[in-house]
Amino acid sequence: MPAPFIGINYGPFHRDGQRPDAAVEIPEEQVVEDLRIVAAAGFRQVRTYGVDNGLNRIVPLAHRYFPELRIFVGVYVCGLNHDDLGNPRSTRSQMDEAIRLANGYPNVAGIVVGNECLTGEPEACPLPVPVGQLIDDLNYVKRGLNPDARKAVRVTSALSMVAAVREYALQGRRVAEHCDVLMVNIHPFFAPAAVEQAVHSNLDGSYRRLTELYSQTGKPIIVGETGWPSAGSPNGPAVPGLENQKKFTRDLFRYARSKAVGVFVFEMFDEPWKAEAGGVGPHWGLFDTHGRAKSTLPW
């Protein structure tokens, strides 16, 4: 995977009534249409979040219809029902499915074992996993890959700045030792930072701090998530809005190219189920719920 790259975070739950805790799987034809929009927009690296609810179809469908796409398969990591093989949402089930996909399809570029799943992280599930468990999970996935897949697939975990920097000694450093690349989510909106300083001051400062802390590992650093909401309530100086989203995205694309940084933009589509305080949750997409671009991408 060349650096720099500008990839996209893809969650398929953007149509009416769709949400990850629903029993109904995402239809195959929707996944194909979503991937068509992703590919047509110019993205080539796609990060997903789990393999249940029909999300395990993304890899084979991309391989069949859009072979230019490279997928970073997300594994949902949670201490709740961690090893319940009868539960498709359990961590063990998700790891086994991600391993199967990586061993069977050459378009799997990475496996992301957990997204901010440690104690104290913003997105931690109802029962966060200890650092030792996450390390065991990373090693379980690496052991499960066949020799060819192990050479090609980058195994990592998406950390928050809390784990990667504030809890560097107890969390970040220990996890990084077992990752092929370091992946960290950086969200200037929640810093909070005004959009004028969001990329070239806040995100750049965060990235430089990560480089300082982890330089001795020799491992590449990927920004696992970063973006700006197009609607919702302000977070201090961080103000949502379409024009601010356009500015953030434009600044981010220029930054990633000039600094040779790999980034995943959060996110492809608005997802209405993400209701949260401040009302920004459903509005992070570069495309709306119907798959229409909110603005022209600054490639």
Side-chain angles (χ1 to χ4, degrees):
M1 181 179 55
F5 74 89
I6 301 169
I8 194 72
N9 299 117
Y10 167 51
F13 307 101
H14 58 88
R15 297 187 181 179
D16 289 345
Q18 292 180 337
R19 52 186 306 117
D21 57 0
V24 179
E25 292 192 349
I26 299 298
E28 183 172 303
E29 58 271 20
Q30 179 186 331
V31 174
V32 173
E33 176 61 12
D34 286 352
L35 293 176
R36 183 194 66 77
I37 297 170
V38 168
F43 294 108
R44 292 297 176 263
Q45 289 81 18
V46 181
R47 181 186 166 198
T48 66
Y49 294 84
V51 290
D52 55 334
N53 294 96
L55 274 68
N56 59 342
R57 296 171 177 166
I58 294 172
V59 167
L61 290 173
H63 181 258
R64 178 178 179 182
Y65 294 105
F66 309 99
E68 69 273 24
L69 297 180
R70 293 293 174 264
I71 314 299
F72 274 66
V73 178
V75 169
Y76 177 72
V77 174
C78 182
L80 195 65
N81 303 318
H82 183 280
D83 295 308
D84 182 3
L85 289 174
N87 181 350
R89 191 167 172 78
S90 76
T91 299
R92 186 73 58 182
S93 296
Q94 297 245 335
M95 289 192 296
D96 287 347
E97 182 64 3
I99 291 167
R100 183 189 72 81
L101 291 169
N103 285 338
Y105 294 92
N107 60 331
V108 176
I111 298 178
V112 185
V113 185
N115 184 65
E116 302 184 9
C117 60
L118 298 172
T119 301
E121 292 202 281
E123 296 299 321
C125 83
L127 186 59
V129 296
V131 172
Q133 181 64 69
L134 180 56
I135 290 171
D136 287 347
D137 291 344
L138 287 162
N139 291 332
Y140 178 87
V141 169
K142 287 189 284 188
R143 288 195 304 271
L145 297 175
N146 64 42
D148 288 340
R150 185 68 193 100
K151 292 177 184 176
V153 177
R154 299 185 177 190
V155 178
T156 187
S157 182
L159 301 176
S160 68
M161 286 292 288
V162 172
V165 176
R166 195 181 77 190
E167 300 297 332
Y168 167 77
L170 295 176
Q171 296 181 340
R173 178 184 57 80
R174 295 175 61 192
V175 172
E177 290 175 357
H178 300 269
C179 293
D180 297 325
V181 298
L182 179 67
M183 179 178 284
V184 182
N185 301 336
I186 304 175
H187 281 289
F189 181 83
F190 293 118
V195 72
E196 291 79 9
Q197 288 80 45
V199 172
H200 296 294
S201 179
N202 184 274
L203 186 143
D204 179 60
S206 297
Y207 192 86
R208 284 189 286 108
R209 180 60 176 147
L210 291 169
T211 301
E212 293 168 359
L213 283 173
Y214 294 92
S215 59
Q216 77 280 2
T217 69
K219 297 176 182 180
I221 300 172
I222 295 175
V223 179
E225 292 178 6
T226 191
W228 201 268
S230 62
S233 301
N235 181 31
V239 179
L242 181 57
E243 289 303 315
N244 283 352
Q245 185 184 62
K246 288 167 61 176
K247 175 173 176 49
F248 180 90
T249 306
R250 183 170 60 248
D251 289 350
L252 178 66
F253 278 41
R254 290 173 179 168
Y255 176 82
R257 289 196 188 98
S258 66
K259 301 291 186 179
V261 175
V263 303
F264 284 99
V265 183
F266 189 82
E267 61 180 329
M268 187 64 192
F269 302 105
D270 282 345
E271 295 188 80
W273 69 273
K274 293 181 176 178
E276 61 185 30
V280 296
H283 305 292
W284 290 85
L286 299 181
F287 288 67
D288 67 16
T289 58
H290 301 289
R292 298 174 299 208
K294 295 179 183 178
S295 61
T296 303
L297 294 178
W299 289 109

